[in-house]
Coordinates of all heavy atoms in Angstrom, one line a residue:
M269 N 87.7 79.5 89.0 CA 88.8 80.5 89.4 C 90.1 79.7 89.7 O 90.0 78.7 90.5 CB 88.2 81.1 90.6 CG 89.0 82.2 91.2 SD 88.3 83.4 92.3 CE 87.6 82.5 93.6
S270 N 91.1 80.1 89.2 CA 92.4 79.5 89.4 C 93.1 80.3 90.6 O 92.6 81.3 91.1 CB 93.3 79.5 88.2 OG 93.7 80.9 88.0
L271 N 94.2 79.7 91.0 CA 94.9 80.2 92.2 C 95.9 81.3 91.7 O 96.6 81.1 90.7 CB 95.7 79.2 92.8 CG 94.9 78.1 93.5 CD1 95.8 77.0 94.0 CD2 94.1 78.7 94.7
P272 N 96.1 82.4 92.4 CA 97.1 83.4 92.1 C 98.5 82.8 91.9 O 99.3 83.4 91.3 CB 96.9 84.4 93.1 CG 95.7 84.2 93.9 CD 95.3 82.8 93.7
G273 N 98.8 81.9 92.8 CA 100.1 81.3 92.9 C 100.5 80.7 91.5 O 101.7 80.9 91.1
R274 N 99.6 80.2 90.7 CA 99.9 79.6 89.5 C 100.2 80.7 88.5 O 101.1 80.7 87.6 CB 98.6 78.9 88.9 CG 98.5 77.5 89.7 CD 97.4 76.8 89.1 NE 97.1 75.6 89.9 CZ 95.9 75.0 89.9 NH1 94.9 75.5 89.2 NH2 95.7 74.0 90.7
E275 N 99.5 81.9 88.5 CA 99.6 83.0 87.8 C 101.1 83.7 88.1 O 101.6 84.3 87.3 CB 98.6 84.1 87.9 CG 97.3 83.7 87.3 CD 97.4 83.4 85.8 OE1 98.1 84.2 85.2 OE2 96.6 82.5 85.2
L276 N 101.5 83.5 89.3 CA 102.7 84.1 89.7 C 103.9 83.2 89.4 O 105.0 83.5 89.7 CB 102.7 84.4 91.3 CG 101.7 85.5 91.7 CD1 101.6 85.5 93.2 CD2 102.3 86.8 91.1
G277 N 103.6 82.0 88.9 CA 104.7 81.1 88.4 C 105.2 80.1 89.5 O 106.1 79.5 89.4
I278 N 104.3 80.0 90.6 CA 104.8 79.0 91.6 C 104.4 77.7 91.2 O 103.3 77.5 90.7 CB 104.1 79.4 93.0 CG1 104.5 80.8 93.4 CG2 104.4 78.3 94.0 CD1 103.6 81.3 94.7
K279 N 105.3 76.7 91.4 CA 105.1 75.3 90.8 C 103.9 74.8 91.6 O 103.7 74.9 92.8 CB 106.4 74.6 91.0 CG 107.5 75.0 90.1 CD 108.8 74.2 90.2 CE 109.9 74.8 89.4 NZ 111.1 74.2 89.7
Q280 N 103.2 73.8 91.0 CA 102.1 73.1 91.6 C 102.6 72.2 92.7 O 101.9 72.3 93.8 CB 101.4 72.2 90.5 CG 100.2 71.4 91.0 CD 99.1 72.4 91.4 OE1 98.9 73.5 90.8 NE2 98.4 72.0 92.3
N281 N 103.6 71.7 92.7 CA 104.3 70.9 93.8 C 104.5 71.9 95.1 O 104.1 71.5 96.1 CB 105.5 70.3 93.4 CG 106.0 69.4 94.5 OD1 105.3 68.4 94.9 ND2 107.3 69.6 95.0
D282 N 104.9 73.0 94.9 CA 105.1 74.0 95.9 C 103.8 74.5 96.5 O 103.7 74.6 97.7 CB 105.9 75.1 95.5 CG 107.4 74.9 95.2 OD1 108.0 73.8 95.8 OD2 108.0 75.5 94.2
L283 N 102.8 74.6 95.6 CA 101.5 75.0 96.2 C 100.8 73.9 97.1 O 100.3 74.2 98.0 CB 100.6 75.4 95.0 CG 100.9 76.5 94.2 CD1 100.1 76.7 93.0 CD2 100.8 77.8 95.1
E284 N 101.1 72.7 96.5 CA 100.5 71.5 97.3 C 101.3 71.4 98.7 O 100.5 71.0 99.7 CB 100.7 70.3 96.6 CG 99.8 70.1 95.3 CD 98.3 70.1 95.7 OE1 97.9 69.6 96.7 OE2 97.5 70.7 95.0
I285 N 102.5 71.7 98.8 CA 103.2 71.6 99.9 C 102.7 72.6 100.9 O 102.5 72.4 102.1 CB 104.8 71.7 99.8 CG1 105.3 70.5 99.1 CG2 105.5 72.1 101.1 CD1 106.8 70.7 98.6
I286 N 102.5 73.9 100.5 CA 101.9 74.9 101.2 C 100.5 74.6 101.7 O 100.2 74.6 103.0 CB 101.9 76.2 100.4 CG1 103.3 76.8 100.2 CG2 101.0 77.3 101.2 CD1 103.4 77.9 99.3
R287 N 99.7 73.9 100.9 CA 98.4 73.6 101.4 C 98.5 72.4 102.4 O 97.7 72.4 103.4 CB 97.6 73.0 100.3 CG 97.0 74.2 99.3 CD 95.9 73.7 98.4 NE 95.9 74.4 97.3 CZ 96.3 74.1 96.1 NH1 96.6 72.9 95.8 NH2 96.3 75.0 95.1
Q288 N 99.4 71.5 102.3 CA 99.6 70.4 103.2 C 100.1 70.9 104.6 O 99.7 70.5 105.6 CB 100.5 69.4 102.7 CG 99.9 68.5 101.6 CD 100.8 67.5 100.9 OE1 102.0 67.4 101.3 NE2 100.4 67.0 99.9
D289 N 101.1 71.9 104.5 CA 101.7 72.4 105.7 C 100.7 73.2 106.5 O 100.9 73.4 107.8 CB 102.8 73.3 105.4 CG 104.0 72.5 105.0 OD1 104.0 71.3 105.2 OD2 105.0 73.0 104.5
Y290 N 99.6 73.9 105.9 CA 98.8 74.8 106.5 C 97.3 74.5 106.1 O 96.6 75.4 105.5 CB 99.0 76.3 106.3 CG 100.4 76.6 106.6 CD1 101.4 76.6 105.6 CD2 100.9 77.1 107.9 CE1 102.9 77.0 105.9 CE2 102.3 77.2 108.2 CZ 103.1 77.2 107.1 OH 104.4 77.5 107.5
P291 N 96.8 73.3 106.4 CA 95.6 72.8 105.8 C 94.4 73.6 106.3 O 93.4 73.6 105.6 CB 95.5 71.4 106.1 CG 96.4 71.2 107.4 CD 97.4 72.3 107.2
L292 N 94.4 74.1 107.5 CA 93.2 74.8 108.0 C 93.4 76.2 108.1 O 92.5 76.9 108.7 CB 93.0 74.2 109.4 CG 92.7 72.8 109.5 CD1 92.5 72.3 110.9 CD2 91.5 72.3 108.7
D293 N 94.4 76.8 107.5 CA 94.6 78.2 107.6 C 94.9 78.9 106.2 O 96.0 79.0 105.8 CB 95.9 78.5 108.5 CG 96.0 79.9 108.9 OD1 95.4 80.9 108.3 OD2 96.7 80.1 109.8
V294 N 93.9 79.3 105.6 CA 94.0 79.9 104.2 C 94.7 81.2 104.2 O 95.3 81.5 103.1 CB 92.6 80.0 103.5 CG1 92.0 78.6 103.3 CG2 91.7 81.0 104.3
V295 N 94.7 81.9 105.3 CA 95.4 83.1 105.3 C 96.8 82.9 105.3 O 97.6 83.5 104.7 CB 95.0 83.9 106.6 CG1 95.9 85.2 106.8 CG2 93.5 84.4 106.5
E296 N 97.3 81.9 106.2 CA 98.7 81.4 106.2 C 99.1 80.9 104.9 O 100.2 81.1 104.4 CB 98.9 80.6 107.2 CG 100.4 80.3 107.5 CD 101.3 81.4 107.9 OE1 100.8 82.4 108.5 OE2 102.4 81.3 107.6
Q297 N 98.3 80.2 104.1 CA 98.5 79.7 102.8 C 98.8 80.8 101.9 O 99.8 80.8 101.2 CB 97.4 78.9 102.3 CG 97.2 77.4 102.9 CD 95.9 76.7 102.5 OE1 95.5 77.0 101.4 NE2 95.5 75.8 103.3
G298 N 98.0 81.8 101.9 CA 98.3 82.9 101.0 C 99.5 83.6 101.3 O 100.2 84.0 100.5
F299 N 99.8 83.8 102.7 CA 101.1 84.4 103.0 C 102.3 83.6 102.6 O 103.3 84.2 101.9 CB 101.1 84.7 104.6 CG 102.4 85.1 105.1 CD1 102.8 86.4 104.9 CD2 103.4 84.2 105.6 CE1 104.2 87.0 105.3 CE2 104.6 84.7 106.0 CZ 105.0 86.0 105.9
Q300 N 102.2 82.4 102.8 CA 103.4 81.5 102.4 C 103.5 81.6 100.8 O 104.6 81.4 100.3 CB 103.1 80.1 102.9 CG 103.2 79.9 104.3 CD 104.5 80.4 104.9 OE1 105.6 80.1 104.3 NE2 104.5 80.9 106.1
M301 N 102.4 81.6 100.0 CA 102.5 81.6 98.7 C 103.2 83.0 98.3 O 104.1 82.9 97.4 CB 101.0 81.6 98.1 CG 101.0 81.7 96.5 SD 99.4 82.1 96.0 CE 99.1 83.7 96.7
L302 N 102.7 84.1 98.8 CA 103.4 85.4 98.5 C 104.8 85.3 98.9 O 105.7 85.8 98.2 CB 102.6 86.5 99.1 CG 101.2 86.8 98.5 CD1 100.5 87.8 99.4 CD2 101.4 87.3 97.1
L303 N 105.2 84.8 100.0 CA 106.5 84.8 100.5 C 107.4 83.9 99.5 O 108.6 84.3 99.2 CB 106.6 84.1 102.0 CG 108.0 84.0 102.5 CD1 108.5 85.5 102.8 CD2 107.8 83.4 104.0
K304 N 106.8 82.8 99.1 CA 107.5 82.0 98.0 C 107.8 82.7 96.8 O 109.0 82.7 96.2 CB 106.8 80.7 97.8 CG 107.3 79.7 96.7 CD 107.9 78.6 97.4 CE 108.6 77.6 96.4 NZ 110.0 77.5 96.5
W305 N 106.9 83.3 96.3 CA 107.0 84.1 95.1 C 108.0 85.2 95.4 O 108.9 85.5 94.4 CB 105.6 84.8 94.9 CG 105.6 85.8 93.7 CD1 106.0 85.7 92.3 CD2 105.4 87.2 93.8 NE1 105.8 86.8 91.7 CE2 105.5 87.8 92.5 CE3 105.0 88.1 94.9 CZ2 105.3 89.1 92.3 CZ3 104.8 89.4 94.7 CH2 105.0 89.9 93.4
Y306 N 108.0 85.9 96.3 CA 109.0 87.0 96.7 C 110.4 86.5 96.7 O 111.2 87.0 96.1 CB 108.6 87.6 98.0 CG 109.5 88.8 98.3 CD1 109.1 90.1 97.8 CD2 110.5 88.8 99.2 CE1 110.0 91.2 98.1 CE2 111.3 89.8 99.4 CZ 111.1 91.1 98.8 OH 111.9 92.1 99.1
R307 N 110.6 85.4 97.5 CA 111.9 84.8 97.6 C 112.5 84.1 96.4 O 113.7 84.2 96.2 CB 111.9 83.8 98.7 CG 111.8 84.4 100.2 CD 111.8 83.3 101.2 NE 111.7 83.9 102.6 CZ 111.5 83.2 103.7 NH1 111.4 81.9 103.5 NH2 111.6 83.9 104.9
D308 N 111.6 83.6 95.6 CA 112.1 82.8 94.3 C 112.3 83.7 93.2 O 112.7 83.2 92.2 CB 111.1 81.7 94.0 CG 111.2 80.6 95.1 OD1 112.0 80.7 96.0 OD2 110.4 79.6 94.9
N309 N 112.0 85.0 93.2 CA 112.1 85.8 92.0 C 113.0 87.1 92.2 O 113.1 87.5 93.4 CB 110.7 86.4 91.7 CG 109.9 85.4 91.0 OD1 110.1 84.9 89.8 ND2 108.9 84.8 91.7
D310 N 113.7 87.4 91.2 CA 114.6 88.6 91.2 C 113.5 89.8 91.3 O 112.3 89.9 91.0 CB 115.2 88.8 89.9 CG 116.3 87.7 89.6 OD1 116.8 87.2 90.7 OD2 116.5 87.2 88.6
P311 N 114.1 90.9 91.8 CA 113.2 92.2 92.0 C 112.3 92.6 90.9 O 111.3 93.0 91.0 CB 114.2 93.3 92.5 CG 115.4 92.5 93.1 CD 115.4 91.2 92.2
E312 N 112.9 92.4 89.6 CA 112.1 92.9 88.4 C 110.9 91.9 88.2 O 110.1 92.3 87.4 CB 113.1 93.0 87.1 CG 113.6 91.8 86.7 CD 115.0 91.4 87.3 OE1 115.5 92.1 88.2 OE2 115.6 90.4 87.0
K313 N 110.9 90.7 88.7 CA 109.8 89.8 88.5 C 108.9 89.8 89.8 O 108.0 88.9 89.7 CB 110.4 88.5 88.2 CG 111.1 88.4 86.9 CD 111.6 86.9 86.6 CE 112.3 86.8 85.3 NZ 112.7 85.5 85.1
R314 N 109.1 90.5 90.8 CA 108.3 90.5 91.9 C 107.7 91.9 92.2 O 107.8 92.4 93.3 CB 108.9 89.9 93.0 CG 110.2 90.6 93.6 CD 110.8 89.9 94.7 NE 111.8 90.9 95.3 CZ 113.0 90.3 95.8 NH1 113.2 89.2 95.7 NH2 113.7 91.2 96.3
T315 N 107.1 92.5 91.2 CA 106.6 93.8 91.3 C 105.1 93.9 91.7 O 104.3 93.0 91.5 CB 106.9 94.5 90.0 OG1 106.1 94.0 89.0 CG2 108.3 94.5 89.6
L316 N 104.7 95.1 92.0 CA 103.3 95.3 92.3 C 102.3 95.0 91.2 O 101.3 94.4 91.1 CB 103.1 96.7 93.0 CG 101.7 97.0 93.5 CD1 101.2 95.9 94.5 CD2 101.7 98.5 94.1
P317 N 102.8 95.7 90.0 CA 102.0 95.4 88.8 C 101.8 93.8 88.5 O 100.8 93.4 88.1 CB 102.7 96.1 87.6 CG 103.4 97.2 88.4 CD 103.9 96.6 89.6
I318 N 102.8 93.1 88.6 CA 102.8 91.6 88.4 C 101.7 91.0 89.2 O 101.0 90.1 89.0 CB 104.1 91.0 88.4 CG1 105.0 91.4 87.1 CG2 104.0 89.5 88.4 CD1 106.4 91.0 87.1
L319 N 101.8 91.3 90.6 CA 100.9 90.8 91.6 C 99.4 91.2 91.3 O 98.6 90.4 91.3 CB 101.3 91.4 92.9 CG 100.5 90.9 94.1 CD1 100.4 89.3 94.2 CD2 100.9 91.4 95.4
K320 N 99.3 92.5 90.9 CA 97.9 93.0 90.6 C 97.4 92.3 89.4 O 96.3 91.9 89.4 CB 98.0 94.5 90.2 CG 98.1 95.3 91.5 CD 98.0 96.9 91.0 CE 97.9 97.7 92.3 NZ 97.8 99.2 91.8
E321 N 98.2 91.9 88.4 CA 97.8 91.2 87.2 C 97.3 89.8 87.6 O 96.4 89.2 87.0 CB 98.8 91.2 86.1 CG 98.6 90.5 84.9 CD 99.6 90.5 83.8 OE1 100.4 91.3 83.9 OE2 99.6 89.7 83.0
A322 N 98.0 89.2 88.4 CA 97.8 87.8 88.9 C 96.6 87.8 89.6 O 95.6 86.9 89.4 CB 98.9 87.2 89.7
L323 N 96.2 88.8 90.5 CA 94.9 88.8 91.2 C 93.8 89.1 90.3 O 92.8 88.5 90.5 CB 95.1 89.9 92.3 CG 96.1 89.5 93.5 CD1 96.2 90.8 94.3 CD2 95.6 88.4 94.2
E324 N 94.0 90.0 89.3 CA 92.9 90.2 88.3 C 92.5 89.0 87.5 O 91.4 88.7 87.3 CB 93.4 91.4 87.4 CG 93.3 92.7 88.1 CD 93.9 93.9 87.2 OE1 94.5 93.6 86.2 OE2 93.8 95.1 87.7
K325 N 93.6 88.3 87.0 CA 93.4 87.1 86.1 C 92.7 86.1 87.0 O 91.9 85.3 86.3 CB 94.7 86.6 85.7 CG 95.3 87.3 84.5 CD 96.6 86.7 83.9 CE 97.1 87.4 82.8 NZ 98.3 86.7 82.3
T326 N 92.9 86.0 88.2 CA 92.3 85.0 89.0 C 91.1 85.3 89.8 O 90.4 84.6 90.5 CB 93.4 84.3 90.0 OG1 93.9 85.4 90.8 CG2 94.4 83.6 89.3
E327 N 90.6 86.5 89.6 CA 89.4 87.1 90.0 C 89.5 87.2 91.6 O 88.4 87.1 92.2 CB 88.2 86.5 89.6 CG 88.1 86.4 88.0 CD 86.9 85.7 87.5 OE1 86.1 85.0 88.2 OE2 86.8 85.7 86.2
Y328 N 90.6 87.5 92.2 CA 90.7 87.7 93.6 C 90.6 89.3 93.9 O 91.4 89.9 94.3 CB 92.0 87.2 94.1 CG 92.0 85.8 94.4 CD1 92.1 84.8 93.3 CD2 91.8 85.3 95.7 CE1 92.1 83.5 93.7 CE2 91.7 83.9 96.0 CZ 92.0 82.9 94.9 OH 91.8 81.6 95.2
Y329 N 89.3 89.7 93.6 CA 89.0 91.1 93.7 C 89.2 91.7 95.1 O 89.6 92.8 95.2 CB 87.7 91.4 93.0 CG 87.7 91.1 91.6 CD1 86.7 90.0 91.2 CD2 88.5 91.7 90.6 CE1 86.7 89.8 89.8 CE2 88.5 91.2 89.3 CZ 87.6 90.4 88.9 OH 87.4 89.9 87.6
D330 N 88.7 91.0 96.1 CA 88.9 91.4 97.4 C 90.4 91.8 97.8 O 90.7 92.7 98.5 CB 88.2 90.5 98.4 CG 86.8 90.4 98.3 OD1 86.2 91.4 97.8 OD2 86.3 89.5 98.9
A331 N 91.3 90.8 97.4 CA 92.7 90.9 97.7 C 93.2 92.2 96.9 O 94.0 92.8 97.4 CB 93.4 89.6 97.5
L332 N 92.7 92.2 95.7 CA 93.2 93.2 94.9 C 92.8 94.8 95.3 O 93.5 95.7 95.4 CB 92.7 93.1 93.4 CG 93.1 94.2 92.4 CD1 94.6 94.1 92.2 CD2 92.3 93.8 91.1
E333 N 91.6 94.7 95.9 CA 91.1 95.9 96.5 C 92.0 96.3 97.8 O 92.2 97.4 98.0 CB 89.6 95.8 96.9 CG 89.0 97.1 97.4 CD 87.5 96.9 97.7 OE1 86.9 96.3 96.9 OE2 87.0 97.2 98.8
C334 N 92.2 95.4 98.5 CA 93.1 95.6 99.8 C 94.4 96.0 99.3 O 95.0 97.0 99.9 CB 93.2 94.3 100.6 SG 91.6 93.9 101.4
L335 N 95.0 95.4 98.3 CA 96.3 95.8 97.9 C 96.3 97.3 97.3 O 97.1 98.0 97.7 CB 96.7 94.9 96.7 CG 98.1 95.0 96.2 CD1 99.3 94.7 97.2 CD2 98.3 94.1 95.0
S336 N 95.3 97.6 96.5 CA 95.2 98.8 96.0 C 95.0 100.0 97.0 O 95.6 101.0 97.0 CB 94.0 98.9 95.0 OG 94.3 98.1 93.9
S337 N 94.2 99.6 98.0 CA 94.1 100.7 99.1 C 95.4 100.9 100.0 O 95.5 102.0 100.4 CB 92.9 100.3 100.1 OG 93.3 99.1 100.8
E338 N 96.1 99.8 100.0 CA 97.4 100.0 100.8 C 98.5 100.8 99.9 O 99.3 101.5 100.6 CB 98.0 98.7 101.0 CG 97.3 97.9 102.1 CD 97.5 98.5 103.5 OE1 98.5 98.9 103.8 OE2 96.4 98.5 104.1
F339 N 98.3 100.8 98.6 CA 99.4 101.5 97.9 C 98.9 102.6 97.1 O 99.6 103.2 96.3 CB 100.1 100.5 96.8 CG 100.9 99.4 97.6 CD1 100.3 98.2 97.9 CD2 102.2 99.7 98.0 CE1 101.1 97.3 98.6 CE2 103.0 98.8 98.7 CZ 102.5 97.6 99.0
N340 N 97.8 103.1 97.3 CA 97.3 104.3 96.7 C 97.2 105.4 97.6 O 97.1 105.5 98.7 CB 95.9 104.1 96.0 CG 96.0 103.3 94.8 OD1 97.0 103.3 94.1 ND2 95.0 102.5 94.5

């Protein structure tokens, strides 16, 4: 299973920095990854369908289910 950050176009170096900055907090790592994706992309590239596709490709079904329940 790969990381959603890669599917969202976040550079490997940036993902490593996030892991190093928050080594014991995977929730914060996920938040920082999404924040990086949001800040680094134009609105047309940071859409809900793009996020859903990345979560599906990386088999993060729990996150996808939470996301779907928030927006349906």
Side-chain angles (χ1 to χ4, degrees):
M269 179 164 55
S270 68
L271 297 172
R274 290 183 189 151
E275 291 295 326
L276 293 171
I278 299 172
K279 294 177 184 174
Q280 183 63 33
N281 187 52
D282 291 329
L283 292 171
E284 290 298 324
I285 290 169
I286 290 169
R287 280 193 212 113
Q288 289 174 4
D289 287 348
Y290 306 96
L292 302 176
D293 193 344
V294 294
V295 172
E296 187 64 26
Q297 288 175 19
F299 174 77
Q300 293 298 324
M301 176 196 65
L302 290 172
L303 184 60
K304 175 101 179 115
W305 171 67
Y306 183 84
R307 287 181 174 168
D308 287 358
N309 285 286
D310 295 326
E312 66 272 0
K313 292 184 180 178
R314 60 179 192 223
T315 65
L316 187 57
I318 290 172
L319 179 56
K320 283 183 173 183
E321 183 179 339
L323 292 172
E324 287 172 352
K325 282 184 178 181
T326 55
E327 300 177 1
Y328 276 80
Y329 299 118
D330 289 343
L332 185 60
E333 185 177 314
C334 290
L335 183 66
S336 294
S337 68
E338 289 292 319
F339 292 97
N340 286 331

